[in-house]
Amino acid sequence: MSDSSRPGSANSNDAFNISEFLVPPRELKAAGQSYVSFDGLLQHPLLLKEDLKEGCGGQLWPAGMVLAKYLLRRHHSTLIDKTIVELGAGGGLVGLGVASGCKIGPSPIYITDQAPMLPLMEANIALNNLSSSVQAAVLDWGEPISDSIPKHPDIILAADCVYFEPAFPLLISTLHDLLGSNSVCYFCFKKRRRADLRFLKMAKKAFQVTEINDDPDSETYKRENIFVYAIRAKSGPNKAAGAAS
């Protein structure tokens, strides 16, 4: 997933002119295609193209698998009539998994990332015949939200979006723009470095953040330092203070 090194989903260092030596190396797999059933939670597995030529977001990452399985288990029937936007979608693992295995609609799920990832997202939508329920769009963190994307979606999905530290303020800014009074962001990431905890501290200052503990797999993936949070907008004076800081 978008466990990446670029602003907007952390997949490119160019916009910040920051050396890749400052970003910890990770093992990458070769481009190809994968079938994903989320441990049998999908009746018909997804076929996902993985392509690393535009960055790490083109690969499947553990937090995306964890978040998708959580939603398939705990929110299989609670997403009907909800507007849903995925941030830093990469190839679209989470959004496509939700579209395939949860009851959604009538609005499509919007899977978003930077422009270089758009062809991969569109290819995976087509591979799985999900064009009627999933729409790919470009969303750069820290930039104004396009009118084609729901202004305050009910559900925001974000997996493996915490990796490239200079992008943290941009992600916080985009969450500020997207989170309405009735919105919730399901946010999953793997804690790899101290900087990841810095993002969590920033998020807790800006938003209401609660750890999700109703997942039967939580004890397993917590041992791998993967965690799932629900992020909501603060209300009243605290919201104003968080936005100004």
Side-chain angles (χ1 to χ4, degrees), residues 7-244:
S9 41
N11 268 345
S12 154
N13 302 329
D14 295 342
F16 297 102
N17 194 26
I18 292 175
S19 170
E20 292 188 7
F21 290 109
L22 300 180
V23 181
R26 292 166 298 160
E27 290 187 12
L28 303 177
K29 356 187 245 194
Q33 292 184 339
S34 300
Y35 283 96
V36 181
S37 70
F38 302 106
D39 294 336
L41 292 172
L42 291 184
Q43 184 177 1
H44 302 290
L46 292 175
L47 175 60
L48 294 173
K49 180 181 178 183
E50 297 181 77
D51 190 344
L52 281 298
K53 71 174 182 285
E54 298 296 347
C56 300
Q59 179 172 321
L60 306 184
W61 292 98
M65 300 292 289
V66 166
L67 182 57
K69 287 197 289 183
Y70 168 74
L71 294 163
L72 289 167
R73 284 196 179 104
R74 306 301 295 180
H75 293 277
H76 174 267
S77 302
T78 66
L79 303 179
I80 299 175
D81 294 326
K82 304 292 187 183
T83 49
I84 303 173
V85 173
E86 182 180 2
L87 299 178
L93 172 70
V94 180
L96 293 171
V98 170
S100 298
C102 295
K103 296 179 181 177
I104 64 167
S107 297
I109 293 177
Y110 292 83
I111 60 174
T112 72
D113 210 305
Q114 289 193 304
M117 301 305 299
L118 186 62
L120 182 61
M121 292 189 290
E122 292 177 334
N124 283 332
I125 291 171
L127 277 175
N128 293 281
N129 298 313
L130 288 171
S131 58
S132 63
S133 55
V134 182
Q135 183 171 324
V138 173
L139 194 162
D140 293 316
W141 298 348
E143 297 295 325
I145 307 297
S146 166
D147 291 339
S148 64
I149 297 170
K151 185 175 182 181
H152 294 304
D154 299 299
I155 307 293
I156 301 164
L157 308 175
D160 266 329
C161 288
V162 176
Y163 181 69
F164 189 48
E165 189 171 358
F168 291 176
L170 303 181
L171 177 54
I172 293 290
S173 174
T174 291
L175 287 173
H176 268 302
D177 290 342
L178 288 174
L179 284 167
S181 57
N182 296 314
S183 304
V184 58
C185 173
Y186 293 107
F187 195 97
C188 182
F189 73 102
K190 182 170 183 173
K191 296 177 183 174
R192 297 180 174 89
R193 308 158 301 141
R194 290 183 182 178
D196 300 341
L197 298 178
R198 178 175 173 267
F199 172 82
L200 195 59
K201 184 177 180 180
M202 292 171 64
K204 287 181 176 179
K205 187 175 181 180
F207 310 110
Q208 177 187 336
V209 180
T210 55
E211 187 175 346
I212 289 174
N213 292 304
D214 66 342
D215 189 337
D217 282 346
S218 62
E219 292 306 315
T220 298
Y221 56 71
K222 282 180 183 180
R223 288 196 292 268
E224 300 176 9
N225 286 324
I226 297 175
F227 299 86
V228 184
Y229 296 91
I231 300 177
R232 294 177 172 86
K234 288 183 177 180
S235 57
N238 288 336
K239 180 176 182 180

